[in-house]
Amino acid sequence: MTPQNELRLLLWPGPDGKPCYLSTDDSGGYIARLADNIEAEQLGMAADLVEQVPAVLGDWDARPEKVRRMLTELTGALRDVLRVANSRGHLLAVSERQS
C-alpha cells in the first residue's frame, strides 16, 4: 500500500463530504483508472464551458438567469479543475521525491 504521505486525492467526496483518498501501489488499478477517466472528463467539460462563456457574456440581451447559470456552471467546473490540479500536484511532488 502507498504510504500515508503518498495518497491520491480523489475527485469525489467520501462520507460526510470529506476528502476521499486512494492508497494503492497499482496506478493501473480499477479505481486509479476510474479517477483518471473522471479527471479527463471534468477537464474536458471545463474546457467546453470556457468556450461557451464569450457567447453568453457577449449577448447583451442574455437573461440574468442564463448568466447566473453560466456562472454557477463555471464555479463548479473551476472547483473540479482545482481539485484535479491539487491531486496531480501532490502526485508530481511525490514522484519528484522518489526520483
Side-chain angles (χ1 to χ4, degrees):
M1 291 301 231
T2 308
Q4 179 76 15
N5 62 348
E6 297 179 18
L7 298 176
R8 177 180 180 172
L9 175 64
L10 297 173
L11 300 174
W12 51 87
D16 302 322
K18 295 181 180 177
C20 187
Y21 295 91
L22 174 63
S23 175
T24 182
D25 290 331
D26 184 6
S27 63
Y30 176 77
I31 299 296
R33 287 192 326 270
L34 177 64
D36 290 343
N37 290 338
I38 291 172
E39 284 181 0
E41 184 71 24
Q42 287 178 324
L43 293 174
M45 287 173 26
D48 291 344
L49 191 57
V50 166
E51 289 180 10
Q52 297 172 26
V53 171
V56 173
L57 293 180
D59 181 3
W60 291 102
D61 296 324
R63 298 179 52 89
E65 296 83 16
K66 186 173 185 177
V67 176
R68 189 175 301 116
R69 185 175 57 244
M70 176 62 69
L71 286 172
T72 300
E73 291 177 14
L74 277 172
T75 300
L78 180 57
R79 188 178 300 115
D80 292 343
V81 167
L82 287 172
R83 191 170 198 127
V84 169
N86 188 17
S87 177
R88 290 186 180 183
H90 176 73
L91 291 174
L92 287 173
V94 168
S95 175
E96 288 175 359
R97 283 196 305 261
Q98 292 175 350
S99 298

